[in-house]
Amino acid sequence: MASSTTLFNFKPLHHQRIITKSKPPFSSPRFLSSSINHHSSPTRVCFPLLTSHSIHNRKFHVRAQKEYSAGSNSESVASDETYQEEFSWSSVILPFVFPALGGLLFGYDIGATSGATISLQSPELSGIAWSNLSSVQLGLVVSGSLYGALLGSLLAFAIADFIGRKRQLIGAALLYLLGSAITATAPELGVLLAGRLIYGLGIGLAMHGAPLYIAETCPSQIRGTLVSLKELFIVLGILLGYFVGSFQITTVGGWRFMYGFSAPLAVLMGLGMWTLPASPRWLLLKAVQGKGSFQDLKEKAIVSLSKLRGRPPGDKESEKQIEESIVSLKSAYEDQESEANFLEVFQGPNLKAFIIGGGLVLFQQITGQPSVLYYAGPILQSAGFSAAADAAKVSVVIGLFKLVMTSVAVLKVDDLGRRPLLIGGVSGIALSLVLLSAYYKFLGGLPIVAVAALLLYVGCYQISFGPISWLMVSEIFPLRTRGRGISMAVLTNFAANAVVTFAFSPLKEYLGADNLFLLFAAIALVSLVFIVTSVPETKGLSLEDIESKILK
């Protein structure tokens, strides 16, 4: 695919002056180290805190950088050409927030379920006659949304490219609302499980559609920040679930409120997505593939891009960008069939993208992420923390720490890049797992080691696998197969989550906690080798340039 001007060509903001040469603003750009073109305001604050002038009128003039690496080799491409584009910062907020609510509702389900299962099993507080749940029934309640998410991932594979990112997220909001309402009002266990499954369908669609929509509509220089910020919304959702659960845990029938609380959030998400434009990239793909009137789809893409950038409808700048992108897409897909097939996801550049994205989300789970936190309570209790006596408070403490560390990743991902955070974070994960193994083997008298190892694991996960895996998945797939490729990655993630969750107990019994953590440490080292040798740097690159330069 020939290098070309893209819809959203930007790079992280820094405090330097831009030096530009006189070039047509929509010629094919080369990418350089970039910075913000400062205005006359004396206040200069690094993104995301921007304080000079009215937020609605602030405009940014940015240059894009092209830097990528594959394995241990890295290459930089630079020239003297500079591309500038104006956009309103206020226009970026809503196209991020409403899709990100899909992640928040996913996290909320995790947090709320921890309190809801306690409430459900209490004969005094459940408010139901069928509170005497077996371990299998309780397991189905907890994992019901996970099975739904697996089905939702398969559903996304089939319909995502057909209905588009916007309608997919509206559908996810409707499933969230329906699942929440059914679960909260369930008169019996069967209905409760059906509600959990439907809610999970919404999770599968949202976890596919949210990073896809955000990545395709936001400026390139803050793409890493915004997609990573979606992970922060998941952690916020977990915390919200913990807090709601802690307030309702002593209320009769409190589990109904815990699950029902997500309904108004789902309504907000659905209404918000209704007001947003469709992804311009998706509209152009449909145009190039002949899935509708070319001129109509082109005009819709121009209007969509204008709205996303806070410009007047159909402005000349957006029109020129769309024209350049059409030339690029036609050049890329002129010799290919109009629609990607199932096998194409596993061929050529698409296979390379799937190995990178699928590998990251696979290692994200099989390095023990669902399992290590199971030991949070006992570890903190062994260290003598008074809060550890209360499971809800322990969860909130861990959740707050996850929130802080995820914030670090959000602030640094477009500055440091993806690879440094992954390499540093996964190295810390491996070290923390070795320390946990050592604690259970021969350092039992030093609980501070276990506490430090636990916090190190949580912190390193939240600056690496947590946000960066989903960011890379949203970036790495070519536009032609992006919808189906991401759905396969999401399916891989939830399937691996299910395997690790259900294999944890027998592995713990067979190997012991010390050897189980050692096994996870060995897998973490393998994942580190995979990252160093196979995962490229995508910082500052547009989605089209990732496709044309890294995947070729």
Side-chain angles (χ1 to χ4, degrees), residues 161-177:
D161 282 339
F162 176 72
I163 67 174
R165 293 55 162 133
K166 172 182 175 177
R167 282 180 283 186
Q168 180 183 342
L169 286 168
I170 292 174
L174 291 174
L175 288 168
Y176 274 141
L177 176 62

Side-chain angles (χ1 to χ4, degrees), residues 495-515:
N497 190 328
V499 169
V500 172
T501 298
F502 289 110
F504 175 73
S505 293
L507 281 175
K508 174 177 170 291
E509 183 177 347
Y510 179 73
L511 297 175
D514 53 350
N515 291 322

Side-chain angles (χ1 to χ4, degrees), residues 319-365:
E319 182 178 354
K320 289 180 180 179
Q321 289 179 268
I322 293 298
E323 291 284 0
E324 290 287 333
S325 295
I326 289 174
V327 172
S328 175
L329 287 172
K330 282 184 174 180
S331 173
Y333 302 127
E334 61 184 355
D335 297 326
Q336 302 182 32
E337 298 176 5
S338 63
E339 186 174 2
N341 56 50
F342 173 79
L343 293 178
E344 190 175 343
V345 177
F346 306 101
Q347 297 172 354
N350 303 295
L351 176 60
K352 182 177 180 180
F354 181 71
I355 289 173
I356 295 170
L360 284 173
V361 295
L362 175 66
F363 282 120
Q364 180 192 61
Q365 297 299 321

Side-chain angles (χ1 to χ4, degrees), residues 65-216:
Q65 174 191 33
K66 179 169 289 186
E67 244 181 32
Y68 62 90
S69 58
S72 58
N73 299 323
S74 55
E75 179 182 355
S76 296
V77 179
S79 83
D80 292 333
E81 295 183 9
T82 303
Y83 174 71
Q84 291 187 340
E85 180 181 359
E86 293 185 347
F87 71 94
S88 168
W89 171 247
S90 61
S91 66
V92 177
I93 298 174
L94 295 182
F96 161 75
V97 168
F98 291 126
L101 284 177
L104 185 141
L105 285 164
F106 171 40
Y108 179 81
D109 182 70
I110 297 173
T113 297
S114 67
T117 52
I118 298 174
S119 177
L120 266 172
Q121 295 179 91
S122 171
E124 298 81 16
L125 299 176
S126 64
I128 54 177
W130 38 278
S131 61
N132 188 24
L133 301 178
S134 68
S135 58
V136 173
Q137 290 172 328
L138 185 62
L140 289 174
V141 172
V142 173
S143 61
S145 61
L146 177 60
Y147 292 123
L150 285 169
L151 294 176
S153 302
L154 293 173
L155 182 62
F157 184 91
I159 69 170
D161 282 339
F162 176 72
I163 67 174
R165 293 55 162 133
K166 172 182 175 177
R167 282 180 283 186
Q168 180 183 342
L169 286 168
I170 292 174
L174 291 174
L175 288 168
Y176 274 141
L177 176 62
L178 182 61
S180 174
I182 292 175
T183 305
T185 59
E188 59 182 24
L189 180 62
V191 177
L192 173 64
L193 294 178
R196 299 287 293 141
L197 188 71
I198 293 172
Y199 194 95
L201 286 172
I203 293 175
L205 289 181
M207 293 304 291
H208 174 274
L212 191 55
Y213 185 89
I214 295 169
E216 287 191 351

